[in-house]
Amino acid sequence: FDMFVLAFVERLFRTTYKKDDFVLGKKLGEGAFGVVYRVSLANKPSSKNEGDLVVKKATEYGAVEIWMNERVRRACANCCADFLYGFLESSSKKGGEYWLVWRYEGQATLADLMLSREFPYNQWLKCQVETMIVGEVQDLPKGIGRENRIIQTIMRQFLFALDGLHSTGIVHRDIKPQNVIFSEGSRTFKIIDLGAAADLRVGINYIPKEFLLDPRYAAPEQYIMSTQTPSAPSAPVATALSPVLWQLNLPDRFDIYSTGLIFLQMAFPGLRTDSGLIQFNRQLKRCDYDLNAWRKSVEPRASSDLRRGFELLDLDGGIGWELLTSMVRYKARQRISAKGALAHPYFDKEGLLALSFMQ
Ligand code: ADP
Ligand code: MG
């Protein structure tokens, strides 16, 4: 209970915003449930001016998204885009509209970066990311070893953010490159768009069942909870039960499947386009979601592009392929957790050496 009082007091003293404070700029995105704009502040004294911001005008689900962002702000602030404020704007003609305000994190999502032909050598990403791992990467010649190191860094940062969300009890449910942004301020990848997220610890999860998860990235199980689980339990009951439900159902593994698909797309340029990914999904389904079977079916007649992806994942005794296959699995409970993935030898140079010596 104290937690709620504290949160309330914190919100009272925070800078607040209203509709007239904003000058709308470029439209950054438009989904089924809201429109996102880059905005600047009008008539604010410079001390109050926070620089560029982002506003999402959302429909009725905006209330959940504000709730999720408030929770993330308190529990794992650096996992997600920096959320500043959310409010109900009731003066608009359309009736109630929720406005959500974030700091502008940067110009590129992982989707933007990946769609560039030069990925992962994007000049711009190079300046941002390679400076952090410059000691590690500088000595590597251009080639798959170096590419692998950059992909490793992106995966590690992303998994760190995802583990933060999961440890807070939040399942994102819409993990995809479009919802991963490179924060130019902190020079790390952060998660955005909690519009479809579920908080299992307090049972906040009222996206309707018919809500369409992005079919390109969704795990084969349709809902994150088994069908035996009563849906959207009331808050007090859920607080008492949900850690158990979490253990039983491992709903976080839904996000892990999507994460595996992102890893796959980074390794295989041909799977970065919608058509490439959709074709892969069809092939994987035909192989009963067995990645090893998929590999067997495509490798003999693989394009040079595919072969290069396998080569990258096979580095260091195939440790990348091992991590990928532990994420993309049919059964949720057989998938690795975000924390488990971070501890995987793929990210550990000593572990890499140990493994290659063992083989
Ligand atoms: P939706 O997918 O529901 O339209 P998102 O929250 O994913 O809404 O935002 C849409 C797009 O707006 C993102 O893909 C990203 O390009 C941009 N965007 C969202 N939040 C930020 C932010 N904090 N900083 C910079 N760009 C952002
Ligand atoms: Mg989005």
Side-chain angles (χ1 to χ4, degrees):
F1 188 77
D2 284 351
M3 199 181 87
F4 290 104
V5 174
L6 275 176
F8 180 71
V9 171
E10 193 264 348
R11 212 180 124 96
L12 270 184
F13 286 98
R14 207 192 304 163
T15 309
T16 62
Y17 298 93
K18 56 187 190 312
K19 184 184 175 191
D20 297 334
D21 292 335
F22 303 109
V23 180
L24 295 191
K26 190 181 168 215
K27 191 193 274 187
L28 298 175
E30 179 157 19
F33 303 106
V35 190
V36 180
Y37 299 91
R38 187 167 181 179
V39 304
S40 51
L41 291 173
N43 312 318
K44 283 262 172 175
S46 57
S47 63
K48 249 187 154 181
N49 198 327
E50 316 243 7
D52 274 340
L53 305 178
V54 168
V55 162
K56 183 186 266 188
K57 299 190 197 177
T59 58
E60 63 267 32
Y61 300 117
V64 188
E65 199 173 345
I66 290 175
W67 200 94
M68 295 294 164
N69 277 279
E70 286 288 342
R71 183 145 163 67
V72 165
R73 192 185 145 89
R74 278 174 272 127
C76 57
N78 300 324
C79 307
C80 294
D82 195 2
F83 182 69
L84 299 174
Y85 196 65
F87 58 94
L88 178 63
E89 165 49 41
S90 43
S91 70
S92 80
K93 285 180 217 116
K94 291 174 235 159
E97 206 178 41
Y98 289 92
W99 285 43
L100 292 88
V101 188
W102 293 269
R103 205 177 299 286
Y104 178 80
E105 294 282 356
Q107 58 170 347
T109 64
L110 185 54
D112 300 322
L113 293 173
M114 268 172 30
L115 282 178
S116 150
R117 208 184 299 258
E118 40 174 5
F119 180 86
Y121 292 128
N122 313 54
Q123 265 313 311
W124 176 83
L125 183 67
K126 189 177 158 72
C127 305
Q128 306 283 339
V129 178
E130 285 198 16
T131 48
M132 293 180 312
I133 49 169
V134 72
E136 298 172 53
V137 172
Q138 222 169 25
D139 51 322
L140 292 173
K142 258 197 178 181
I144 58 175
R146 186 163 170 149
E147 254 170 71
N148 183 45
R149 203 63 69 73
I150 299 170
I151 292 172
Q152 245 173 26
T153 304
I154 297 173
M155 282 297 290
R156 194 200 292 119
Q157 289 184 357
F158 171 73
L159 281 165
F160 187 79
L162 188 65
D163 177 41
L165 272 189
H166 290 171
S167 303
T168 304
I170 296 175
V171 185
H172 187 282
R173 297 200 291 193
D174 198 15
I175 292 296
K176 54 185 174 185
Q178 291 80 358
N179 287 337
V180 181
I181 197 158
F182 186 74
S183 167
E184 292 172 19
S186 66
R187 296 192 164 194
T188 54
F189 286 90
K190 293 181 173 183
I191 296 169
I192 57 172
D193 199 353
L194 298 171
D199 187 325
L200 294 136
R201 301 211 171 157
V202 283
I204 302 265
N205 173 31
Y206 43 80
I207 302 290
K209 280 249 167 71
E210 28 338 323
F211 182 85
L212 257 186
L213 301 161
D214 192 320
R216 294 167 302 173
Y217 293 91
E221 70 270 19
Q222 266 206 294
Y223 310 113
I224 53 166
M225 305 289 260
S226 82
T227 46
Q228 281 105 26
T229 310
S231 62
S234 65
V237 176
T239 308
L241 282 181
S242 57
V244 178
L245 292 182
W246 187 281
Q247 282 298 315
L248 283 176
N249 294 288
L250 301 172
D252 57 314
R253 305 300 202 274
F254 188 87
D255 290 345
I256 294 296
Y257 187 92
S258 316
T259 303
L261 293 192
I262 296 179
F263 188 18
L264 185 94
Q265 288 188 297
M266 288 201 279
F268 297 97
L271 305 186
R272 289 180 200 154
T273 59
D274 273 356
S275 57
L277 183 59
I278 288 165
Q279 191 193 9
F280 165 82
N281 284 335
R282 221 180 290 128
Q283 292 170 343
L284 188 64
K285 192 173 176 187
R286 238 181 279 130
C287 298
D288 294 321
Y289 297 93
D290 179 344
L291 257 188
N292 283 308
W294 171 77
R295 180 170 183 164
K296 276 203 193 96
S297 76
V298 296
E299 206 165 19
R301 49 185 176 82
S303 60
S304 61
D305 169 275
L306 270 183
R307 237 176 289 126
R308 201 177 145 80
F310 288 127
E311 206 184 312
L312 187 147
L313 293 166
D314 283 345
L315 289 173
D316 301 304
I319 203 69
W321 178 255
E322 209 291 321
L323 175 61
L324 179 66
T325 52
S326 61
M327 293 178 150
V328 181
R329 285 197 179 144
Y330 181 75
K331 285 200 171 137
R333 67 172 44 257
Q334 289 176 357
R335 291 175 212 145
I336 199 167
S337 67
K339 214 182 279 309
L342 281 170
H344 191 276
Y346 177 64
F347 297 110
D348 169 16
K349 277 207 278 176
E350 310 298 318
L352 291 179
L353 283 176
L355 200 99
S356 51
F357 281 130
M358 270 157 49
Q359 289 182 345

